[in-house]
Amino acid sequence: MMLHRRLLLVLAASGLVLAGCATTPTTGEHPPIVFVHGNGDSASLWQSSVWRFESNGWPRERLHAIDLPYPLARDEDGKAQPGRSSTAEHTAYLKSEVDKVLQATGASRVVLVANSRGGYAVRNYIQNGGGSARVSHAILGGTPNHGVWAIKGFREANEFSGNGPFLTGLNAPKNAAGDEVTGPVKWLTLRSDNNDKFAQPDGLWIGAKGTPTNVSFEGPALKGATNLVLPRVDHRETSFSPAAFEATYRFITGKNPQTLTIQPNSPLVLNGKITGLGLRPTDPASGNYSNNLPLPGAQLAVYATDAATGARLGNAVHNKTVGADGLWGPFTAQTGTPYEFVISAPGYATTHIYRSPFPRSSSLIHLRADRPADADKSAKSSITLTRPRGYFDAMRDKMSFDGKALPGVPPAGAGVSSSKINLSQDGVRPIAAEFNGEKITGRTWPAADNHLVVLELTY
């Protein structure tokens, strides 16, 4: 009982309750693909994946990434919880989006590509929501198909429990061979060999080091599917890495992609949503939760910046007060130019987001207004380096933040996707980060004037 209580407290505090070859598709050479993000995430994580499909000739209008309004799972799946979604709500939203894509494209089936929790909705839709007649291929990256934990009596009402009712229902044998997947859909799972924080036999990443989770590295694999191992990738890279794209493309089409490199295009037009954060209604002091709802009335200014110093190169090149849809564009960007996106909205800090140059057009450049954490309010400047499409691995990646090792990143394992520096010195100066060749330079805006700085990696 003490172990169960300790795990519950740690998970609640940290937000870790998810924070072969196929035949050619029957829906044509380029079937519509619907991308499904993971727990607490948004459609924006598929940005580089969409670019890679486009770079291999996939029509942009046949690539659709969904935005679940409330992307965090409930603590107990069957109990309503403000700002969170149940498995039933998740599945119903996916079904609605698939119906829209089929109607818009005239196709009879779609391909579903999902990361992490998104794979649960895909499986539930195909098995229990009529999706088996509307889906040709299902590709699941890093989905914890046998749970993040499988501890008897511990949080079994949560959808991530391997011995809870949701996953035991999905994993029940479908035929005499004991297959866990539903036909006639063709299934592919992609997993790490041992570097996925949510497929670990030890409870380190759920705050219980030394405690068996009863889940193995093979937890994402499914009997009856094609199961591929991508060496050393982390939880998100099971979907968003070049290796994941290559395996996904080959599974859908039966052939290798022509290129793994994102090909530039012109004109370079960017767009996306501005979203915010919700306060937890039951306990506002406990902090914020992620949602993908538009933030109407937010103001955005975009500045071209100097790659070496982060300084603005003149006046804003784009301004907009967003409406009910939250869209901040379209904005025609310059090839090879890094940009600073500045969001201002009531109840939020002025949020400065720095990005490296964009190679292609995208409508998935979502931006989130932020609030300072209580622990950061005494800093002169607070700067966060974030990698939305992967984690930081000190043993694998070449990286630096303000010329040093990344604070908060452990010496081994890939379980952290952001790093924060709180400066104690006054003044505005350049602050740079590098990750495996991608470089971003921002400025240290003063926290005393309610500014926050984010350096956001693309790859």
Side-chain angles (χ1 to χ4, degrees), residues 206-219:
I206 59 172
K209 184 178 181 180
T211 301
T213 63
N214 300 322
V215 175
S216 73
F217 301 137
E218 297 179 2

Side-chain angles (χ1 to χ4, degrees), residues 146 148-152 200-202 211-216:
H146 295 91
V148 177
W149 64 84
I151 302 170
K152 186 176 181 180
Q200 294 289 326
D202 183 86
T211 301
T213 63
N214 300 322
V215 175
S216 73

Side-chain angles (χ1 to χ4, degrees), residues 92-251:
Y93 188 82
L94 173 60
K95 180 181 185 301
S96 174
E97 294 295 293
V98 168
D99 288 346
K100 291 176 186 176
V101 171
L102 290 175
Q103 183 175 11
T105 62
S108 60
R109 293 176 184 264
V110 300
V111 173
L112 296 181
V113 179
N115 177 249
S116 193
R117 186 198 182 203
Y120 287 173
V122 168
R123 295 186 65 195
N124 201 18
Y125 169 54
I126 292 172
Q127 181 170 319
N128 302 311
S132 61
R134 298 177 178 179
V135 178
S136 62
H137 298 67
I139 296 95
L140 313 181
T143 297
N145 286 309
H146 295 91
V148 177
W149 64 84
I151 302 170
K152 186 176 181 180
F154 172 66
R155 302 199 70 185
E156 292 180 348
N158 186 281
E159 66 183 80
F160 296 108
S161 170
N163 50 357
F166 177 69
L167 282 181
T168 54
L170 286 185
N171 293 332
K174 308 300 185 293
N175 52 32
D179 288 347
E180 296 172 305
V181 296
T182 304
V185 177
K186 297 176 176 63
W187 294 84
L188 172 67
T189 75
L190 301 173
R191 70 170 179 88
S192 177
D193 47 1
N194 59 16
N195 205 28
D196 185 331
K197 66 184 293 184
F198 296 117
Q200 294 289 326
D202 183 86
L204 170 66
W205 291 113
I206 59 172
K209 184 178 181 180
T211 301
T213 63
N214 300 322
V215 175
S216 73
F217 301 137
E218 297 179 2
L222 287 168
K223 188 171 183 180
T226 298
N227 299 295
L228 294 184
V229 177
L230 305 178
R232 201 56 189 166
V233 298
D234 61 48
H235 180 64
R236 289 177 179 165
E237 289 172 341
T238 58
S239 291
F240 309 121
S241 65
F245 164 75
E246 182 177 27
T248 298
Y249 186 95
R250 187 168 56 245
F251 187 74

Side-chain angles (χ1 to χ4, degrees), residues 43-374:
S44 63
L45 270 67
W46 296 104
Q47 172 192 301
S48 56
S49 303
V50 168
W51 281 340
R52 290 189 174 95
F53 273 99
E54 290 176 352
S55 296
N56 283 274
W58 223 277
R60 182 172 301 172
E61 65 273 12
R62 297 178 81 82
L63 300 166
H64 180 76
I66 74 169
D67 256 327
L68 184 65
Y70 296 103
L72 285 169
R74 294 175 176 179
D75 291 333
E76 295 185 25
D77 189 39
K79 184 181 293 186
Q81 189 174 5
R84 300 205 177 206
S85 56
S86 67
T87 55
E89 291 167 336
H90 197 181
T91 302
Y93 188 82
L94 173 60
K95 180 181 185 301
S96 174
E97 294 295 293
V98 168
D99 288 346
K100 291 176 186 176
V101 171
L102 290 175
Q103 183 175 11
T105 62
S108 60
R109 293 176 184 264
V110 300
V111 173
L112 296 181
V113 179
N115 177 249
S116 193
R117 186 198 182 203
Y120 287 173
V122 168
R123 295 186 65 195
N124 201 18
Y125 169 54
I126 292 172
Q127 181 170 319
N128 302 311
S132 61
R134 298 177 178 179
V135 178
S136 62
H137 298 67
I139 296 95
L140 313 181
T143 297
N145 286 309
H146 295 91
V148 177
W149 64 84
I151 302 170
K152 186 176 181 180
F154 172 66
R155 302 199 70 185
E156 292 180 348
N158 186 281
E159 66 183 80
F160 296 108
S161 170
N163 50 357
F166 177 69
L167 282 181
T168 54
L170 286 185
N171 293 332
K174 308 300 185 293
N175 52 32
D179 288 347
E180 296 172 305
V181 296
T182 304
V185 177
K186 297 176 176 63
W187 294 84
L188 172 67
T189 75
L190 301 173
R191 70 170 179 88
S192 177
D193 47 1
N194 59 16
N195 205 28
D196 185 331
K197 66 184 293 184
F198 296 117
Q200 294 289 326
D202 183 86
L204 170 66
W205 291 113
I206 59 172
K209 184 178 181 180
T211 301
T213 63
N214 300 322
V215 175
S216 73
F217 301 137
E218 297 179 2
L222 287 168
K223 188 171 183 180
T226 298
N227 299 295
L228 294 184
V229 177
L230 305 178
R232 201 56 189 166
V233 298
D234 61 48
H235 180 64
R236 289 177 179 165
E237 289 172 341
T238 58
S239 291
F240 309 121
S241 65
F245 164 75
E246 182 177 27
T248 298
Y249 186 95
R250 187 168 56 245
F251 187 74
I252 297 170
T253 66
K255 57 187 178 182
N256 292 324
Q258 292 182 335
T259 181
L260 299 182
T261 303
I262 296 168
Q263 303 298 310
N265 79 309
S266 181
L268 207 167
V269 181
L270 306 177
N271 204 346
K273 284 192 306 186
I274 294 181
T275 61
L277 298 166
L279 286 172
R280 303 186 192 279
T282 54
D283 181 15
S286 68
N288 306 316
Y289 62 83
S290 298
N291 64 53
N292 291 321
L293 302 178
L295 189 61
Q299 295 180 316
L300 178 72
V302 182
Y303 297 87
T305 63
D306 181 271
T309 67
R312 294 173 180 173
L313 301 177
N315 296 327
V317 293
H318 179 73
N319 287 282
K320 187 169 182 179
T321 300
V322 303
D325 59 7
L327 296 178
W328 61 262
F331 162 59
T332 301
Q334 297 299 310
T335 302
T337 299
Y339 288 97
E340 173 194 1
F341 299 83
V342 185
I343 307 169
S344 304
Y348 292 87
T350 300
T351 306
H352 303 256
I353 302 172
Y354 292 86
R355 297 286 301 263
S356 58
F358 293 89
R360 291 186 66 86
S361 298
S362 178
S363 61
L364 295 175
I365 312 301
H366 294 350
L367 308 170
R368 192 182 297 280
D370 207 350
R371 301 186 182 106
D374 289 341

